[in-house]
Amino acid sequence: MGLGAGVVLVALGCFLAASGGGHETHEVAHAAGAEHAEGVAHHAYKWTNRLWANVWLNAIYFTGASVIGMFFMSYNYLAQAGWSVAFKRVPEALPAYLPIMGIVVLAVFFLAGHDLFHWTNPALYDTASPEYDPIIAGKHGFLNTPFYVIRVALYFVLWYVLWRMIRSYSLQEDLSGGTDYYYKSLRVGVIFLVVFAVTSSTSAWDFVMSIDTHWFSTMFGWYTLASWHVTGLAIITLTVLALKERGYLQIVTESHLHDLGKFMFAFSIFWTYVWFAQFMLIYYANLPEETIHYREIFSGFGGIYKAPFFINLTLNFVFPFLVLMTTAAKRTGIILKVAAWGIVIGHYFDFYVNIMPGTVGSHGGFGPMEFGMILIFASGFVWSVYSQLEKANLVPKHHPMLEESLHHDIN
């Protein structure tokens, strides 16, 4: 039902966008140089830009939500943590959505890369062209189509293959018992963490920061990882609570929920720390090539991105900080659900603010197209997760640390 409603809403949004200005030519500005009014790069705007931008936004958002399942399992294996074993199958199910997202990301890049990424214009690198841009030309060694496609494909292949390995070991452990598969999983988890230490940052540069090609932030990799991570934690929490309410995962106690609440609370603060460190340093230094990103949000495009900017900050810091502050709140299902939904919605706005100004400029907004696209991707994600949960026992009965998880208690 959600998928069908999403398709109808997207179709309606496309019709409204096409009939409202599909044959007009507009310009979308990108940050480009020392002054806001000088050296500004443009590409022609078409109503389909908004469609592709929404596909890209949701693909990147749900890519992060998916890969964080593997990240969560990996650092729990590395720490030899036992508390999370009771609901281990939930984060284990999330990365199954990665192949679909990988296909979508590559398809959008090939079909609409020039509409979304200004650096794909060959004239920018031709010194004889009036469009020649020395700043973008200087990044051509990294931002070129063949190398970009190789990197993107590599991200999804590495993440998915390592997940398939750890998933296979987990299922074999259910059949055979012992500790062999546990230690194999631990080794795979360590390999993934090394890979993800690099690819979490480089993928953030490729997926999001390269949209505004001139702008850069040395903290952007950490910033995106923090956003993905807390989103994944919120989704894990919501899934655990949904299963528990339906009579599954009864071994999950208030102590497990308490720890999940602490994770959401702590990493919401960590995201805010990285967000503030990035914003404060750029604001204080006041360098035009850095401040342009925020000037586009605050004073560019008619100020349409101001509200999403402050909604982002409110839902991702103020709201979870106040809601999850007390011990009782972290042990109460309904409060955890409210906080988790706030985080899930808030970090959608986080990616919205980072992606939309550079792709659609003043043509952004929230309408049938945006809501429909969220429904389509969310429906696919829910289907993927629950189809994986159906394929294995929700309790990893032969996991060597299951007994520790069953007696996990926080007083």
Side-chain angles (χ1 to χ4, degrees):
M1 183 178 292
L3 181 62
V7 170
V8 170
L9 285 171
V10 170
L12 176 60
C14 289
F15 172 77
L16 294 173
S19 60
H23 302 290
E24 297 176 19
T25 300
H26 305 277
E27 299 294 318
V28 178
H30 292 271
E35 295 297 330
H36 184 56
E38 297 178 3
V40 178
H42 296 80
H43 64 247
Y45 175 83
K46 306 182 293 291
W47 72 264
T48 52
N49 288 28
R50 184 166 172 178
L51 173 66
W52 293 121
N54 273 283
V55 176
W56 188 264
L57 165 62
N58 283 275
I60 302 312
Y61 179 82
F62 282 100
T63 291
S66 302
V67 74
I68 289 305
M70 182 63 180
F71 183 53
F72 181 86
M73 285 193 299
S74 296
Y75 63 66
N76 273 275
Y77 271 117
L78 180 60
Q80 298 190 24
W83 72 277
S84 60
V85 174
F87 57 88
K88 173 179 176 286
R89 293 290 191 230
V90 173
E92 192 176 282
L94 302 188
Y97 204 42
L98 283 172
I100 300 173
M101 293 299 93
I103 292 169
V104 171
V105 166
L106 286 171
V108 172
F109 181 76
F110 283 119
L111 293 171
H114 182 58
D115 293 332
L116 301 181
F117 297 95
H118 184 62
W119 58 264
T120 58
N121 181 2
L124 298 171
Y125 310 101
D126 182 1
T127 54
S129 170
E131 295 183 61
Y132 174 72
D133 189 314
I135 296 177
I136 298 179
K139 300 181 180 184
H140 190 51
F142 186 79
L143 288 178
N144 62 81
T145 297
F147 190 27
Y148 184 90
V149 171
I150 290 170
R151 288 197 306 273
V152 171
L154 201 59
Y155 301 148
F156 286 98
V157 169
L158 286 173
W159 296 343
Y160 184 72
V161 168
L162 290 170
W163 171 73
R164 286 302 309 174
M165 291 175 67
I166 214 166
R167 172 72 165 173
S168 175
Y169 293 151
S170 178
L171 297 180
Q172 291 178 64
E173 183 181 74
D174 268 9
L175 300 174
S176 306
T179 59
D180 287 348
Y181 290 112
Y182 172 79
Y183 286 110
K184 286 181 179 178
S185 298
L186 191 154
R187 286 192 287 272
V188 173
V190 170
I191 293 170
F192 174 82
L193 289 174
V194 173
V195 169
F196 200 56
V198 177
T199 57
S200 60
S201 285
T202 56
S203 62
W205 304 340
D206 287 334
F207 294 155
V208 183
M209 196 165 69
S210 66
I211 290 171
D212 283 324
T213 317
H214 289 82
W215 183 74
F216 64 92
S217 166
T218 55
M219 303 186 71
F220 198 79
W222 281 102
Y223 173 84
T224 303
L225 173 60
S227 187
W228 273 352
H229 187 210
V230 74
T231 301
L233 291 171
I235 290 170
I236 291 168
T237 303
L238 288 169
T239 308
V240 169
L241 288 168
L243 291 169
K244 189 172 174 61
E245 288 174 356
R246 286 161 176 76
Y248 305 101
L249 290 184
Q250 294 306 301
I251 62 172
V252 172
T253 66
E254 285 187 348
S255 293
H256 296 102
L257 298 179
H258 188 180
D259 277 342
L260 283 170
K262 287 191 289 186
F263 263 70
M264 288 195 296
F265 181 78
F267 283 99
S268 291
I269 294 174
F270 176 72
W271 173 86
T272 309
Y273 159 73
V274 180
W275 178 92
F276 179 75
Q278 177 177 271
F279 179 81
M280 183 271 292
L281 289 173
I282 290 173
Y283 176 84
Y284 184 76
N286 198 29
L287 299 175
E289 62 269 26
E290 294 180 354
T291 57
I292 188 62
H293 176 70
Y294 292 104
R295 290 181 66 182
E296 283 184 345
I297 294 171
F298 284 111
S299 57
F301 310 123
I304 63 171
Y305 296 104
K306 275 187 181 179
F309 177 87
F310 287 107
I311 291 171
N312 169 34
L313 191 58
T314 301
L315 287 179
N316 293 328
F317 171 60
V318 178
F319 185 69
F321 180 77
L322 296 177
V323 171
L324 293 174
M325 186 178 292
T326 66
T327 297
K330 299 183 190 74
R331 302 172 76 92
T332 306
I334 185 63
I335 297 178
L336 283 174
K337 283 197 285 187
V338 169
W341 273 114
I343 290 168
V344 167
I345 295 169
H347 283 282
Y348 172 85
F349 278 98
D350 189 18
F351 282 94
Y352 180 91
V353 168
N354 282 320
I355 290 174
M356 286 303 189
T359 54
V360 299
S362 60
H363 303 276
F366 284 93
M369 190 182 295
E370 283 71 26
F371 291 111
M373 201 65 73
I374 293 168
L375 278 175
I376 291 171
F377 277 83
S379 297
F381 182 70
V382 170
W383 168 82
S384 175
V385 170
Y386 278 92
S387 65
Q388 287 297 314
L389 293 174
E390 290 176 346
K391 294 178 180 179
N393 195 321
L394 285 176
V395 178
K397 55 187 177 181
H398 289 147
H399 194 287
M401 292 192 177
L402 177 60
E403 199 65 25
E404 178 183 334
S405 189
L406 292 174
H407 293 88
H408 180 59
D409 184 45
I410 302 173
N411 294 315

